Amino acid sequence: MSTAVGTRPALSWAVNLTVLLLVAIWTLPTFGILVSSLRDKDQLAVSGWWTALTTSEQNVIARAAPPEEAVEQNGQWVISGNLFESGSGRVSAFGTSSREPAAYEPGEQVEMRGGGTAVVEENGDYRLVYSEKPEGRRGERLFLTISEPPRFTTENYERVLFSEGIGQSFINTLTVTIPATVIPILIAAYAAYALSWMQFPGRAILLATIVGLLVVPLQMSLIPLLRLYNEVGIGKSFIGIWIAHTGFGLPLAVYLLRNYISGLPREIIESAKVDGASDFEIFRKIVLPLSFPALASFAIFQFLWVWNDLLVATVFLGNNEEQLVLTGRLRELLGSRGGNWEILTASAFVAIIVPIIVFFALQRYLVRGLLAGSVKGG
């Protein structure tokens, strides 16, 4: 370790490298989901996102035109066409049997098991030749090994937003998250000011009770709370889940905001009281603007918690289609679309894009608010 003036200590390098490692661990999976969600489903099924910019090779089964399209030429019956539906790709090998799907090179003439010969060119053009008119209703099966250039598409997002119910679940999640973030902040800000700057009996006991609630597992209260909701008629409703998230988030909110607000300069508060300002005016015009970092840091925590919640949403909203949130929809897709990676990755990115935007919009207040809220206090 060097401590000479003008050189960076080894500890600082270790911290920076650790931060870079954490950033990479957090960023790479997100980037991989984004790339995978924009890839063609066939290419995504055979290769990982890190090969998205390279030519992909895959084995496919193509079918030639039906026998009724055979044309007589020089005493022979010929069926011809192109095997690429999209019009792009390159055939690197082909076969006429599933046991040997890559037995022949493009341009090579081979004998088919049912009689006749087949030729498949590199660009997908094929030519089947029969000595007699072919019969049957379906075309000949050909096994191809093809190389395709990278393909990207937005069809995955169009499908999940308009066909898989993600759009409705996105709106449901916003309906749950925004009120469940704003309501506890408003209540906690008023409570934190009262616990910091207003004198009333039992203030210390009330604060100790709030701190004690931080360690109570919310799972203990889910069933009793749901029974109470059903008795008063707000079970399985948005009102019920707003109240539940408000109750679960209030202890941490009051604790953080009270520690921050109590650390504000006493001279400012007392000067305002001497000038005749009421507690509500002091809170609205002085305390609230000065507490924005703490409010923003808790808003990030509460928003991410509610947005990513599955347990509370399942208990208080259920699994009906009209109220299903994004986490519940992803769970349903994992069961029904477990092999459709293009659907799962597009759905996952829709689910994480809003928390990412919220985090980067408010992240400059996060550390400042948390440190002030956790260190100050009395």
Side-chain angles (χ1 to χ4, degrees), residues 283-366:
F283 172 78
R284 184 169 59 86
K285 296 182 178 179
I286 298 176
V287 173
L288 209 55
L290 292 176
S291 303
F292 189 75
L295 296 173
S297 63
F298 175 74
I300 293 176
F301 272 119
Q302 182 71 0
F303 188 92
L304 296 181
W305 153 251
V306 178
W307 186 275
N308 295 317
D309 166 69
L310 175 61
L311 176 62
V312 178
T314 301
V315 172
F316 293 103
L317 285 182
N319 295 318
N320 62 77
E321 288 292 322
E322 292 75 19
Q323 295 180 325
L324 194 61
V325 296
L326 275 174
T327 49
R329 182 70 65 180
L330 289 175
R331 180 198 59 199
E332 299 292 330
L333 289 176
L334 281 174
S336 60
R337 302 283 189 175
N340 298 103
W341 289 105
E342 76 282 1
I343 299 296
L344 297 179
T345 52
S347 303
F349 197 77
V350 170
I352 66 175
I353 185 61
V354 172
I356 290 176
I357 293 173
V358 170
F359 177 80
F360 281 110
L362 301 177
Q363 58 86 25
R364 59 178 173 165
Y365 302 109
L366 178 64

Side-chain angles (χ1 to χ4, degrees), residues 104-123:
Y104 310 109
E105 297 291 332
E108 186 176 351
Q109 180 173 311
V110 300
E111 298 287 339
M112 294 186 292
R113 289 189 303 174
T117 61
V119 177
V120 178
E121 303 293 343
E122 192 175 87
N123 62 359

Side-chain angles (χ1 to χ4, degrees), residues 118-290:
V119 177
V120 178
E121 303 293 343
E122 192 175 87
N123 62 359
D125 289 342
Y126 68 93
R127 180 181 173 87
L128 308 181
V129 180
Y130 302 89
S131 58
E132 298 180 356
K133 185 177 181 179
E135 297 180 350
R137 293 184 299 176
R138 307 188 68 183
E140 193 74 32
R141 284 200 309 170
L142 295 171
F143 300 86
L144 308 176
T145 301
I146 62 174
S147 300
E148 289 186 318
R151 290 207 307 264
F152 295 94
T153 178
T154 59
E155 291 180 358
N156 301 332
Y157 284 97
E158 295 174 6
R159 184 175 176 185
V160 300
L161 288 175
F162 302 110
S163 301
E164 300 293 339
I166 289 293
Q168 179 63 45
S169 296
F170 187 87
I171 295 174
N172 293 340
T173 305
L174 281 178
T175 304
V176 172
T177 304
I178 293 176
T181 302
V182 174
I183 294 172
I185 289 178
L186 291 177
I187 298 175
Y190 285 120
Y193 175 79
L195 290 171
S196 300
W197 296 106
M198 296 175 68
Q199 299 297 327
F200 56 88
R203 189 179 68 163
I205 296 176
L206 182 58
L207 180 61
T209 304
I210 292 173
V211 174
L213 289 174
L214 289 172
V215 299
V216 177
L218 65 89
Q219 291 86 350
M220 293 177 57
S221 60
L222 292 179
I223 300 305
L225 200 57
L226 181 60
R227 294 181 62 181
L228 176 63
Y229 281 5
N230 290 332
E231 291 178 1
V232 299
I234 59 173
K236 305 293 184 183
S237 68
F238 286 113
I239 295 177
I241 196 170
W242 293 340
I243 297 175
H245 276 303
T246 298
F248 296 144
L250 268 180
L252 178 61
V254 173
Y255 176 74
L256 287 177
L257 295 179
R258 185 265 173 189
N259 285 352
Y260 187 91
I261 291 174
S262 65
L264 295 176
R266 178 178 294 274
E267 295 78 9
I268 298 176
I269 308 297
E270 291 181 346
S271 297
K273 289 184 177 179
V274 170
D275 291 339
S278 65
D279 284 315
F280 181 72
E281 289 174 330
I282 295 173
F283 172 78
R284 184 169 59 86
K285 296 182 178 179
I286 298 176
V287 173
L288 209 55
L290 292 176

